[in-house]
Amino acid sequence: MKVISFLNPKGGSGKTTAVINVASCLARGASVAVVDTDPQMSLTNWSRTGDASASFDVFTAASEKDVYSVRKELGAYDYVVIDGAGSLSVITSAAVMVSDLVIIPVTPSSFDFSASGAVISVLEAQAFNRPVASRFLITRKLEQARMLAVLKDSIAQTGIALFRTSIAQRQSYVKSVFDGVSVFETSDGAAKGEIEILTKEIINTFE
Ligand code: ADP
Ligand code: MG
């Protein structure tokens, strides 16, 4: 069992969209549980929207206690994917503590890269206990060379590695989430392709 958390207190960094699509991809070859820790419950609501039911089970964490117990309660799944809360909270610390891999989604258009610093602080505090692997993930990527260069420079300064695969800004992500499905239920081959390669990169971090 591997626990993967998508954490960034900055709302709009693409956490929920990434979780839905990566979990859908993982679920094609493994059993997957997704834990929604956001009080806004966007992922839980998404799972109640779709015509076709999600290919993974969705659990809603009511408090950090639910997050601390995922290794025990959801130990039967191959992967547990945690969708982080929109604001930094005790839930972020709990998620880091139970994770095998922490993914920090960041967008090039956001002027708030510093929000991810809060996750790095939690990771550093946790490292005294048990170090947790972490990676940045660029989401909502636009072909804006200068913006990307600034973002990549900020990431490099943290010393945390960046996934080679990014998630591009695509209408199919917005529409599929609205429809309660993933991009695998759309005809967007580019979106499906990048999620597949990203998911392989994620799995490879465990090898
Ligand atoms: P978070 O969970 O970090 O708050 P969301 O996944 O809910 O972020 O995304 C925030 C907003 O950005 C939503 O309106 C979503 O549709 C949009 N969005 C997220 N990822 C993409 C993407 N790859 N392409 C286009 N829009 C995206
Ligand atoms: Mg969200």
Side-chain angles (χ1 to χ4, degrees):
M1 177 229 206
K2 296 291 181 195
V3 180
I4 306 164
S5 291
F6 287 72
L7 303 174
N8 185 339
K10 174 119 177 86
S13 54
K15 295 179 292 292
T16 299
T17 303
V19 165
I20 286 168
N21 288 290
V22 168
S24 298
C25 193
L26 287 168
R28 298 196 293 180
S31 61
V32 179
V34 168
V35 180
D36 182 7
T37 71
D38 194 332
Q40 291 185 4
M41 290 178 38
S42 42
L43 198 143
T44 305
N45 293 331
W46 167 87
S47 71
R48 292 170 182 161
T49 303
D51 296 336
S53 59
S55 52
F56 47 83
D57 294 333
V58 176
F59 297 87
T60 312
S63 73
E64 76 273 18
K65 275 195 205 133
D66 288 343
V67 178
Y68 281 119
S69 68
V70 296
R71 296 198 84 92
K72 205 174 80 188
E73 297 292 328
L74 305 177
Y77 289 90
D78 297 323
Y79 294 100
V80 173
V81 183
I82 297 177
D83 184 15
S87 61
L88 188 69
S89 62
V90 283
I91 285 189
T92 303
S93 304
V96 167
M97 203 171 279
V98 300
S99 289
D100 297 290
L101 173 65
V102 168
I103 298 175
I104 310 169
V106 285
T107 70
S109 55
S110 156
F111 296 104
D112 204 354
F113 180 78
S114 56
S116 57
V119 180
I120 298 170
S121 300
V122 176
L123 282 164
E124 282 168 354
Q126 171 62 24
F128 291 106
N129 208 341
R130 174 187 64 95
V132 178
S134 54
R135 294 280 189 283
F136 275 97
L137 166 66
I138 296 179
T139 63
R140 305 178 64 180
K141 182 183 169 192
L142 301 158
E143 292 309 327
Q144 301 260 355
R146 221 160 56 83
M147 270 176 157
L148 267 177
V150 170
L151 178 62
K152 285 185 178 172
D153 188 52
S154 303
I155 291 171
Q157 283 173 28
T158 68
I160 295 176
L162 167 68
F163 280 124
R164 256 184 291 151
T165 317
S166 306
I167 298 180
Q169 172 92 17
R170 298 179 198 280
Q171 202 49 42
S172 56
Y173 287 113
V174 182
K175 186 166 187 310
S176 57
V177 169
F178 183 78
D179 291 340
V181 296
S182 77
V183 286
F184 294 101
E185 282 75 45
T186 73
S187 58
D188 189 340
K192 290 186 251 193
E194 70 190 1
I195 295 296
E196 282 169 358
I197 299 168
L198 171 63
T199 303
K200 266 188 204 139
E201 257 196 274
I202 292 171
I203 293 170
N204 285 343
T205 65
F206 300 124
E207 280 159 11

